[in-house]
Amino acid sequence: MADFPTRTADAPLAGGLTLETGVPGLVAYGSTFESLIDGLRHSIGRLAADDAPTRFGVPPVISRALLERLGYVETFPQLLGVVHTYEGDDRQWRELVPALRRGESWTHRHEVSDVVLLPAACYHLYPHLAETEFAEPAVFDLTGHCYRHERTAEVGRMRSFRMRELVRIDAPASVLDWRDGWIERAAGWLGSLGLPVTIEPASDPFFGSAGRLMSTMQRSEQLKWEVAVEVADGLDQAVVSCNCHKNHFSAEFGFRLGGGEAHTSCVAFGLERIALAILHRHGPDPRSWPAELRPDPGPTREEPIPDANVSRT
Ligand code: ATP
Ligand code: ZN
């Protein structure tokens, strides 16, 4: 892996932005960065209000069997992080500890577990929709810590990052309209935050020679669009991806809409990348960020905090 560039780490943990962990692609965040992420979460929530999405909390790992079933393991083996766990006994572990202390391999009694690291938030949703007959279109809102085994060390290309996704279940034609509406809405929103955007058809990094064909098909059918902004000098990256999955998930899990076929689309926001773009454009001082994203100053002295739900005896 290439050398990882040093990023600004101002006053670590006290109003800081980003903090190096020493591991390429793994970054920790200080309070200023986190308050920007909070501002983005609220702003995206307001943007999505018309969809009245159902929120869904997801863990940062996911069933391995599920990703095998969905084809992720086959198509993105290079990006997948697999969780291994120790399956030996106490005696075998005592034999391994000296190797561990000598800095030698200590993992040969580890086995692949039943979970892998989550590559995209929306994968958690589909099994919960299995065999559902939707009477009307539905939108879900999921945020998860995702992992991808990225092999470059470019700013904004992290191995662990937060993804917020809106997923719509709708009829084939209208799910595309919804996706296209979101390309415009996301671009307009980023523009209103002072970020010039480019909108382009894109493809996922499918693996190997079979993958190149899949990328070409995805691009020619315009199933994936990316809204990109500048995250560092001369470096544009996708910050919002708008995808149509057609019947990929509905066929696998047998969910339908109004007695007919359902298709799905998702809109995925990369929260750290958007935050990096805001910092790149407006600087680290929250007073120079768009008002929409500024941290809530909290109640002033004149406005006492209401003591709701506090019962006194
Ligand atoms: P890219 O084209 O940059 O590799 P992608 O096509 O793999 O991104 P998606 O799979 O569509 O991206 O992921 C949805 C969103 O998650 C992206 O629009 C981006 O904002 C964010 N994202 C993807 N990969 C990363 C990463 N390695 N680090 C930070 N954010 C990411
Ligand atoms: Zn998705």
Side-chain angles (χ1 to χ4, degrees):
M1 203 173 269
D3 284 347
F4 199 57
T6 311
R7 296 210 188 98
T8 336
D10 70 338
L13 299 181
L17 294 176
T18 60
L19 301 136
E20 294 307 322
T21 63
V23 179
L26 279 198
V27 182
Y29 305 98
S31 59
T32 305
F33 195 95
E34 287 303 293
S35 65
L36 179 50
I37 294 278
D38 290 343
L40 289 169
R41 282 184 198 279
H42 288 121
S43 187
I44 295 167
R46 286 189 284 275
L47 200 65
D50 287 350
D51 281 317
T54 303
R55 277 183 76 187
F56 197 81
V58 300
V61 291
I62 191 165
S63 152
R64 173 164 59 90
L66 173 60
L67 280 206
E68 287 166 0
R69 180 175 172 187
L70 290 175
Y72 190 91
V73 177
E74 229 171 291
T75 42
F76 301 105
Q78 80 283 21
L79 294 178
L80 186 62
V82 180
V83 176
H84 291 69
T85 52
Y86 178 67
E87 299 300 337
D89 59 19
D90 179 39
R91 188 185 55 78
Q92 289 160 334
W93 184 244
R94 273 183 276 124
E95 285 167 12
L96 285 173
V97 169
L100 169 68
R101 294 195 179 137
R102 286 194 302 268
E104 293 167 7
S105 168
W106 49 271
T107 53
H108 39 275
R109 302 256 174 219
H110 277 66
E111 283 176 23
V112 172
S113 78
D114 55 349
V115 294
V116 292
L117 303 182
L118 180 67
C122 75
Y123 289 124
H124 268 298
L125 175 67
Y126 307 108
H128 297 278
L129 309 181
E131 309 307 328
T132 303
E133 282 289 344
F134 286 91
E136 48 191 50
V139 180
F140 294 87
D141 175 350
L142 311 89
T143 301
H145 268 98
C146 295
Y147 181 88
R148 297 197 185 164
H149 200 69
E150 301 279 8
R151 284 166 173 78
T152 71
E154 171 179 292
V155 173
R157 188 163 295 281
M158 291 127 181
R159 284 200 273 165
S160 179
F161 57 94
R162 284 165 274 195
M163 191 188 294
R164 169 109 176 237
E165 286 201 76
L166 300 169
V167 183
R168 184 168 175 104
I169 293 104
D170 204 337
S174 21
V175 90
L176 261 187
D177 291 343
W178 179 83
R179 195 264 328 245
D180 292 346
W182 262 102
I183 299 172
E184 294 306 316
R185 191 176 304 163
W189 172 68
L190 292 163
S192 76
L193 300 178
L195 305 175
V197 302
T198 53
I199 302 174
E200 281 179 355
S203 60
D204 287 307
F206 296 104
F207 187 67
S209 48
R212 279 193 284 283
L213 187 66
M214 293 172 87
S215 291
T216 309
M217 278 167 54
Q218 190 186 30
R219 213 175 263 270
S220 69
E221 288 190 58
Q222 302 201 338
L223 294 177
K224 182 181 183 85
W225 286 82
E226 285 179 347
V227 186
V229 300
E230 192 176 76
V231 296
D233 282 340
L235 177 66
D236 281 22
Q237 280 172 344
V239 290
V240 184
S241 302
C242 304
N243 309 301
C244 179
H245 318 120
K246 299 185 18 180
N247 67 351
H248 182 70
F249 298 114
S250 55
E252 185 60 39
F253 290 102
F255 55 89
R256 293 166 60 77
L257 173 73
E261 194 179 32
H263 279 195
T264 56
S265 281
C266 73
V267 179
F269 298 80
L271 297 181
E272 284 84 357
R273 281 190 185 173
I274 305 174
L276 287 174
I278 294 288
L279 293 168
H280 176 60
R281 181 81 183 173
H282 300 291
D285 183 347
R287 287 168 300 187
S288 58
W289 299 347
E292 172 80 7
L293 302 179
R294 270 180 231 149
D296 181 352
T300 59
R301 264 177 222 277
E302 291 75 45
E303 294 172 286
I305 301 169
D307 56 350
N309 299 327
V310 177
S311 55
R312 294 205 173 86
T313 47

